[in-house]
Amino acid sequence: MEIKVLGTGCTKCKTLEKVVKDVVEQNSIDATVVKVENIMEIMKYGVITTPALVIDGVVMVKGRVPSADEIKNLLTR
């Protein structure tokens, strides 16, 4: 599984990256977490408001930081 956290480095973006990494680690999820800060790369996903969470190429959340439980649910579907 490939997880991308899209964001230019704002506080919310950093928070989302930390929560995602914590959920992956705590639940032994086999995934690679990548932080994407390049605005041109972010725009390829059609994301205007960051942060955004992309799982295997699909934008699942944008414009907010979801709870750890919501992230876990998205990753264990």
Side-chain angles (χ1 to χ4, degrees), residues 1-75:
M1 176 185 306
E2 182 180 53
I3 304 166
K4 292 185 179 180
V5 176
L6 310 181
T8 56
C10 68
T11 302
K12 286 183 179 181
C13 300
K14 291 176 184 176
T15 300
L16 178 58
E17 181 181 21
K18 181 181 181 337
V19 174
V20 168
K21 286 182 176 180
D22 289 348
V23 168
V24 167
E25 184 179 321
Q26 292 168 2
N27 295 281
S28 301
I29 296 170
D30 184 20
T32 303
V33 180
V34 178
K35 179 76 164 52
V36 179
E37 294 184 351
N38 182 300
I39 193 70
M40 298 309 285
E41 189 69 26
I42 292 169
M43 290 175 69
K44 289 179 185 177
Y45 288 95
V47 171
I48 297 171
T49 55
T50 58
L53 179 64
V54 179
I55 301 171
D56 290 333
V58 179
V59 178
M60 304 300 277
V61 177
K62 57 185 169 183
R64 65 185 179 88
V65 177
S67 68
D69 285 339
E70 184 178 351
I71 292 170
K72 181 181 174 185
N73 287 338
L74 291 170
L75 298 180

